[in-house]
């Protein structure tokens, strides 16, 4: 089934298209050459937060969104229902990025992206901007909610060196470096 609400999608270097299907708790993979559609990650209409519950190499997903691909061709899935970012290779073997969530982050649907250094940026609607550092998977606060205000979405430019945040009815830009 195709997504019934706005979803994010990405394309890998071989041309496969990955679509986050929030309504059914899965990531769909489309092969443009063979014109096939298949399940890439998650269990259709069976949401959950357990990693690899049946030994299949695929975790449960709740509300997968913010799908993006790294230069290493790893697929990153922001599952805001579980409060985790999950990483997958193109053969669908997945594992959650392990980080403590001491702030009880509740990111909105459009509130995660990856920067040029591989860090995952998570935007909490009311509590600011956080980063899961690539080198040690530690969660750190970058901008407080008081400084940022109510925020709804985050994205990067093509080089992933600038982030753009929709907050306070304006677009804010931060240079990463």
């Amino acid at each position: 089934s195709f997504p019934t609400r706005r979803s994010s999608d990405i394309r890998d270097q071989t041309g496969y298209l990955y679509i986050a299907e929030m309504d059914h708790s899965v990531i769909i993979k489309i092969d443009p050459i063979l014109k096939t559609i298949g399940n890439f990650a998650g269990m259709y209409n069976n949401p959950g937060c357990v990693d690899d519950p049946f030994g299949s190499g695929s975790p449960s997903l709740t509300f997968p969104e913010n799908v993006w691909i790294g230069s290493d061709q790893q697929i990153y899935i922001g599952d805001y229902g579980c409060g985790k970012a999950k990483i997958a290779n193109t053969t669908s073997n997945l594992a959650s990025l392990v980080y403590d969530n001491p702030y009880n982050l509740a990111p909105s649907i459009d509130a995660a992206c990856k920067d040029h250094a591989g860090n995952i940026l998570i935007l909490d609607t009311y509590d600011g901007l956080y980063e899961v550092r690539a080198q040690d998977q530690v969660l750190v606060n970058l901008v407080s909610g008081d400084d940022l205000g109510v925020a709804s979405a985050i994205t990067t430019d093509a080089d992933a060196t600038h982030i753009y945040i929709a907050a306070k009815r304006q677009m804010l830009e931060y240079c990463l470096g």
Side-chain angles (χ1 to χ4, degrees), residues 132-164:
V132 179
R133 294 187 308 221
Q135 73 268 22
D136 56 13
Q137 304 307 310
V138 171
L139 178 71
V140 294
N141 181 261
L142 297 179
V143 181
S144 76
D146 291 337
D147 291 336
L148 193 59
V150 177
S152 60
I154 185 172
T155 191
T156 63
D157 62 3
D159 297 328
T161 56
H162 291 81
I163 60 171
Y164 300 91

Side-chain angles (χ1 to χ4, degrees), residues 4-6 25 29 68 79 96 118 131 171:
T4 54
R5 67 172 98 168
R6 187 194 158 282
S25 306
K29 182 177 180 178
W68 61 97
D79 189 344
S96 288
E131 173 183 68
M171 184 63 71

Side-chain angles (χ1 to χ4, degrees), residues 20-65:
E21 180 29 306
M22 283 183 20
D23 291 333
H24 299 291
S25 306
V26 294
I27 303 296
I28 298 167
K29 182 177 180 178
I30 299 174
D31 183 329
I33 297 170
L34 297 177
K35 297 186 174 146
T36 58
I37 298 173
N39 189 46
F40 174 68
M43 291 172 276
Y44 190 83
N45 281 344
N46 191 7
C49 294
V50 178
D51 287 332
D52 199 12
F54 302 110
S56 64
S58 182
S60 298
L61 299 171
T62 54
F63 298 108
E65 183 55 57

Side-chain angles (χ1 to χ4, degrees), residues 107-118:
S108 67
I109 294 170
D110 296 319
C113 64
K114 187 171 77 76
D115 71 11
H116 68 287

Side-chain angles (χ1 to χ4, degrees), residues 6 20 27 32 43-44 52 57 60-61 71 80 82-83 86-87 89 93 99 111 120 145 150 165 168-169 173 175 177:
R6 187 194 158 282
I27 303 296
M43 291 172 276
Y44 190 83
D52 199 12
S60 298
L61 299 171
S71 58
Y80 81 90
C82 293
K86 303 200 177 194
I87 185 171
N89 63 34
N93 294 322
Y99 66 88
I120 296 174
V150 177
I165 299 172
K168 298 181 188 175
R169 297 185 182 155
E173 177 184 8
C175 181

